[in-house]
Amino acid sequence: MNKEFTERQLDRIIEMAWEDRTPFDAITFQFGISEQQTIEIMRHEMKPSSFRMWRKRVQGRSTKHAKLRTGDVNRFKCSRQRHISGNKVSKR
């Protein structure tokens, strides 16, 4: 992988990848990495058993792939999730 990420950015990528309703396109939008690069990060950062469990869960999941989503879902995140913009944590 060519891109270098801070620990905080890696944590956010992993968090977004774990979220069922966050598509890979949202990770691409925020971090400029492809779905395959996201998978590589997950493989590198997780225990092998956790990675296999995650891959089994997200593979083919319509909410993780924008092209498979139904037309009624038109956002990257859950409506109840706090506002996140450009991967910057909002000030309190």
Side-chain angles (χ1 to χ4, degrees):
M1 173 156 334
N2 297 339
K3 289 196 169 215
E4 294 292 323
F5 294 105
T6 65
E7 186 175 338
R8 187 176 198 156
Q9 289 171 321
L10 280 174
D11 286 346
R12 182 63 185 139
I13 291 169
I14 292 167
E15 180 182 14
M16 290 174 76
W18 267 108
E19 294 169 347
D20 289 339
R21 295 185 60 89
T22 304
F24 288 111
D25 291 346
I27 299 170
T28 299
F29 177 78
Q30 279 196 3
F31 296 98
I33 58 174
S34 67
E35 178 180 340
Q36 186 57 43
Q37 290 170 312
T38 302
I39 293 168
E40 290 172 18
I41 288 172
M42 296 296 278
R43 180 178 285 121
H44 183 264
E45 297 293 325
M46 298 172 72
K47 294 188 305 186
S49 60
S50 297
F51 174 76
R52 285 190 301 272
M53 180 179 62
W54 173 77
R55 276 302 285 156
K56 185 177 180 180
R57 197 180 88 229
V58 300
Q59 202 161 16
R61 181 178 286 267
S62 63
T63 55
K64 289 303 281 184
H65 301 86
K67 291 179 183 176
L68 299 178
R69 284 181 168 205
T70 59
D72 60 334
V73 178
N74 58 4
R75 61 189 183 278
F76 282 160
K77 61 184 181 184
C78 176
S79 61
R80 293 176 302 282
Q81 183 177 346
R82 283 191 301 152
H83 178 71
I84 297 172
S85 174
N87 196 37
K88 293 183 177 141
V89 177
S90 60
K91 293 182 180 180
R92 297 174 203 247

